[in-house]
Amino acid sequence: MRDRGKQSDAPAPDSPWSEVVPGLWMGGHEYTGRSGQPEFAVVRDEFDLVLTLLRLPGHGPDPGVEHHVWPIPDGPLDGTQLAGVMRLARTADEARDAGRRVLVRCYHGYNRSGLVVAHALIRAGSTAEDAIRLIRSRRSPWALHNALFVDYLHTGLDTARLLEELAE
């Protein structure tokens, strides 16, 4: 699944991944390298846990690195997809609490990974607005430029999930 929505209008980030809070990173599969040209972000063993929301072959991680894959679109999510986002955020939160290095990634490391990381931060006590602001300051001003995902965070993923399931 490779639905990047309006993300193609967003410039590629200047790094493969960025640390949002100690132990919790967000990133993508492509970034702008030092030469100014696009480069692939390939995860080896830099992280203890990799949570992938868009899987592209050949981008890692290495065998032996715990890896969870939950492909979702960069657009409207159904109740099942939102439940998966919540599960990944809980997994990230628990791993970080255990002292593990966690990477949450999607295509550029802006929207889908931002949704999971923001929900993990909210679970840990941040407000939605504080989580969004922190992510944008640490990753990129383009992070969470998907207005629907920002709405999900302000509504609360639990509530958004219930509303989506009622609509189904």
Coordinates of all heavy atoms in Angstrom, one line a residue, residues 3-7 10 72-77 110-115 132 136 141-154:
D3 N -0.1 4.9 -0.4 CA -1.0 6.0 -0.5 C -0.5 7.1 0.3 O -0.6 7.2 1.5 CB -2.4 5.6 0.0 CG -3.4 6.7 -0.1 OD1 -3.0 7.8 -0.6 OD2 -4.6 6.5 0.4
R4 N 0.2 8.1 -0.3 CA 0.8 9.2 0.4 C 0.0 10.4 0.4 O 0.4 11.4 0.9 CB 2.2 9.5 -0.2 CG 3.2 8.3 0.1 CD 4.5 8.7 -0.4 NE 4.6 8.8 -1.8 CZ 5.3 9.6 -2.5 NH1 6.0 10.5 -1.9 NH2 5.3 9.6 -3.9
G5 N -1.2 10.3 -0.2 CA -2.1 11.5 -0.1 C -1.4 12.7 -0.7 O -0.8 12.6 -1.8
K6 N -1.5 13.9 0.0 CA -0.8 15.1 -0.5 C 0.6 15.2 -0.1 O 1.3 16.2 -0.3 CB -1.6 16.3 0.1 CG -3.0 16.4 -0.5 CD -3.7 17.6 0.0 CE -5.1 17.7 -0.5 NZ -5.7 18.9 -0.3
Q7 N 1.2 14.1 0.5 CA 2.5 14.1 0.9 C 3.5 14.4 -0.2 O 4.6 14.9 0.0 CB 2.9 12.8 1.6 CG 4.2 12.9 2.4 CD 4.3 11.9 3.4 OE1 3.3 11.5 4.0 NE2 5.5 11.4 3.7
A10 N 5.0 17.7 -0.2 CA 5.9 18.0 0.9 C 7.3 17.7 0.5 O 7.6 16.7 -0.1 CB 5.5 17.3 2.2
I72 N -1.0 1.6 6.7 CA -2.2 2.4 6.7 C -2.1 3.5 5.7 O -0.9 3.9 5.4 CB -2.5 3.0 8.1 CG1 -1.4 3.9 8.6 CG2 -2.9 2.0 9.1 CD1 -1.8 4.8 9.8
P73 N -3.2 4.0 5.2 CA -3.1 5.1 4.2 C -2.8 6.4 4.9 O -3.0 6.6 6.1 CB -4.4 5.1 3.6 CG -5.4 4.6 4.6 CD -4.5 3.6 5.4
D74 N -2.3 7.4 4.2 CA -2.1 8.8 4.7 C -3.4 9.5 4.4 O -3.5 10.5 3.6 CB -0.9 9.4 4.0 CG -0.6 10.7 4.7 OD1 -1.3 11.2 5.6 OD2 0.4 11.4 4.2
G75 N -4.5 9.0 5.0 CA -5.8 9.5 4.7 C -6.8 9.0 5.7 O -6.4 8.5 6.8
P76 N -8.1 9.0 5.4 CA -9.1 8.5 6.4 C -8.8 7.1 6.8 O -8.5 6.3 6.0 CB -10.4 8.6 5.6 CG -10.2 9.6 4.5 CD -8.7 9.5 4.2
L77 N -8.9 6.9 8.1 CA -8.7 5.5 8.7 C -10.0 5.0 9.2 O -10.8 5.7 9.8 CB -7.7 5.6 9.8 CG -6.3 6.2 9.4 CD1 -5.4 6.3 10.7 CD2 -5.6 5.5 8.3
Y110 N 6.4 11.9 8.4 CA 5.6 13.1 8.7 C 4.3 12.7 9.3 O 4.0 13.1 10.4 CB 5.4 13.9 7.4 CG 6.6 14.6 6.8 CD1 6.6 15.0 5.5 CD2 7.7 14.9 7.6 CE1 7.7 15.7 5.0 CE2 8.8 15.6 7.1 CZ 8.8 16.0 5.8 OH 9.9 16.6 5.2
N111 N 3.4 12.1 8.5 CA 2.0 12.0 9.0 C 1.7 10.7 9.7 O 1.3 10.7 10.9 CB 1.1 12.1 7.8 CG 1.0 13.5 7.3 OD1 1.0 14.5 8.1 ND2 1.0 13.7 6.0
R112 N 1.8 9.5 9.1 CA 1.5 8.3 9.7 C 2.3 8.0 10.9 O 1.8 7.7 12.0 CB 1.6 7.1 8.7 CG 0.5 7.2 7.6 CD 0.8 6.3 6.5 NE 1.7 6.9 5.6 CZ 1.8 6.6 4.3 NH1 1.1 5.6 3.8 NH2 2.6 7.2 3.5
S113 N 3.6 8.2 10.8 CA 4.5 8.0 12.0 C 4.2 9.1 13.0 O 4.2 8.8 14.2 CB 6.0 8.1 11.6 OG 6.3 9.3 10.9
G114 N 3.9 10.3 12.6 CA 3.5 11.4 13.5 C 2.3 11.1 14.3 O 2.2 11.4 15.5
L115 N 1.3 10.4 13.7 CA 0.1 10.0 14.4 C 0.4 9.0 15.5 O -0.1 9.2 16.6 CB -0.9 9.4 13.4 CG -2.3 9.0 13.9 CD1 -3.0 10.2 14.4 CD2 -3.1 8.3 12.8
I132 N 1.9 17.6 19.1 CA 2.1 18.1 17.7 C 3.2 19.1 17.6 O 4.0 19.0 16.7 CB 0.7 18.6 17.2 CG1 -0.3 17.5 17.1 CG2 0.9 19.4 15.8 CD1 -1.8 18.0 17.0
R136 N 6.7 18.6 15.4 CA 7.0 19.5 14.3 C 8.4 20.2 14.6 O 9.1 20.5 13.7 CB 5.9 20.6 14.1 CG 4.7 20.0 13.5 CD 3.6 21.0 13.4 NE 2.4 20.4 12.7 CZ 1.2 20.9 12.7 NH1 0.9 22.0 13.5 NH2 0.3 20.3 12.0
P141 N 8.6 21.0 10.2 CA 7.4 21.8 10.2 C 6.3 21.0 9.3 O 5.1 21.3 9.5 CB 7.7 23.1 9.6 CG 9.2 23.2 9.8 CD 9.7 21.8 9.7
W142 N 6.7 20.2 8.4 CA 5.8 19.4 7.6 C 5.2 18.2 8.4 O 4.2 17.6 7.9 CB 6.5 18.9 6.4 CG 6.7 20.0 5.4 CD1 7.9 20.7 5.2 CD2 5.8 20.4 4.4 NE1 7.7 21.6 4.2 CE2 6.4 21.4 3.7 CE3 4.5 20.1 4.1 CZ2 5.8 22.1 2.6 CZ3 3.9 20.8 3.1 CH2 4.5 21.8 2.4
A143 N 5.7 17.9 9.5 CA 5.2 16.7 10.3 C 3.7 17.0 10.6 O 3.4 18.1 11.0 CB 6.0 16.5 11.5
L144 N 2.9 16.0 10.5 CA 1.5 16.1 10.8 C 0.8 17.2 10.0 O 0.0 17.9 10.5 CB 1.2 16.2 12.3 CG 1.5 14.9 13.1 CD1 1.6 15.2 14.6 CD2 0.5 13.9 12.7
H145 N 1.2 17.4 8.7 CA 0.5 18.3 7.9 C -0.8 17.8 7.4 O -1.6 18.5 6.8 CB 1.4 18.8 6.7 CG 1.7 17.8 5.7 ND1 2.8 17.0 5.8 CD2 1.1 17.4 4.6 CE1 2.9 16.2 4.8 NE2 1.8 16.4 4.0
N146 N -1.1 16.5 7.7 CA -2.4 15.9 7.3 C -3.4 16.4 8.4 O -3.4 16.0 9.5 CB -2.3 14.4 7.3 CG -3.6 13.7 7.0 OD1 -4.7 14.1 7.4 ND2 -3.5 12.5 6.5
A147 N -4.3 17.3 8.0 CA -5.3 17.9 8.9 C -6.2 16.9 9.5 O -6.6 17.1 10.7 CB -6.1 19.0 8.2
L148 N -6.5 15.8 8.8 CA -7.4 14.8 9.4 C -6.7 14.1 10.6 O -7.3 13.9 11.6 CB -7.7 13.8 8.3 CG -8.6 12.6 8.8 CD1 -9.9 13.1 9.3 CD2 -8.8 11.6 7.6
F149 N -5.4 13.8 10.5 CA -4.7 13.2 11.6 C -4.6 14.1 12.8 O -4.7 13.7 13.9 CB -3.3 12.8 11.1 CG -3.3 11.5 10.3 CD1 -4.4 11.0 9.8 CD2 -2.1 11.0 9.9 CE1 -4.4 9.8 8.9 CE2 -2.0 9.8 9.1 CZ -3.2 9.3 8.6
V150 N -4.5 15.4 12.5 CA -4.5 16.4 13.6 C -5.8 16.4 14.3 O -5.9 16.4 15.5 CB -4.1 17.8 13.1 CG1 -4.3 18.9 14.2 CG2 -2.6 17.8 12.6
D151 N -6.9 16.3 13.5 CA -8.3 16.3 14.0 C -8.4 15.0 14.9 O -9.0 15.0 16.0 CB -9.3 16.3 12.9 CG -9.5 17.6 12.3 OD1 -9.0 18.6 12.8 OD2 -10.1 17.6 11.2
Y152 N -7.9 13.9 14.4 CA -8.0 12.6 15.2 C -7.3 12.8 16.5 O -7.8 12.4 17.6 CB -7.2 11.5 14.5 CG -7.9 10.8 13.3 CD1 -7.2 10.2 12.3 CD2 -9.3 10.8 13.1 CE1 -7.8 9.6 11.2 CE2 -9.9 10.2 12.0 CZ -9.1 9.6 11.1 OH -9.7 9.0 10.0
L153 N -6.1 13.5 16.6 CA -5.4 13.7 17.8 C -6.2 14.6 18.8 O -6.2 14.4 20.0 CB -4.0 14.2 17.5 CG -3.1 13.2 16.8 CD1 -1.9 13.9 16.3 CD2 -2.7 12.1 17.8
H154 N -6.8 15.7 18.2 CA -7.5 16.6 19.1 C -8.8 15.9 19.6 O -9.2 16.2 20.7 CB -7.9 17.9 18.3 CG -6.7 18.8 18.2 ND1 -6.3 19.3 17.0 CD2 -5.9 19.3 19.1 CE1 -5.3 20.1 17.2 NE2 -5.0 20.1 18.5

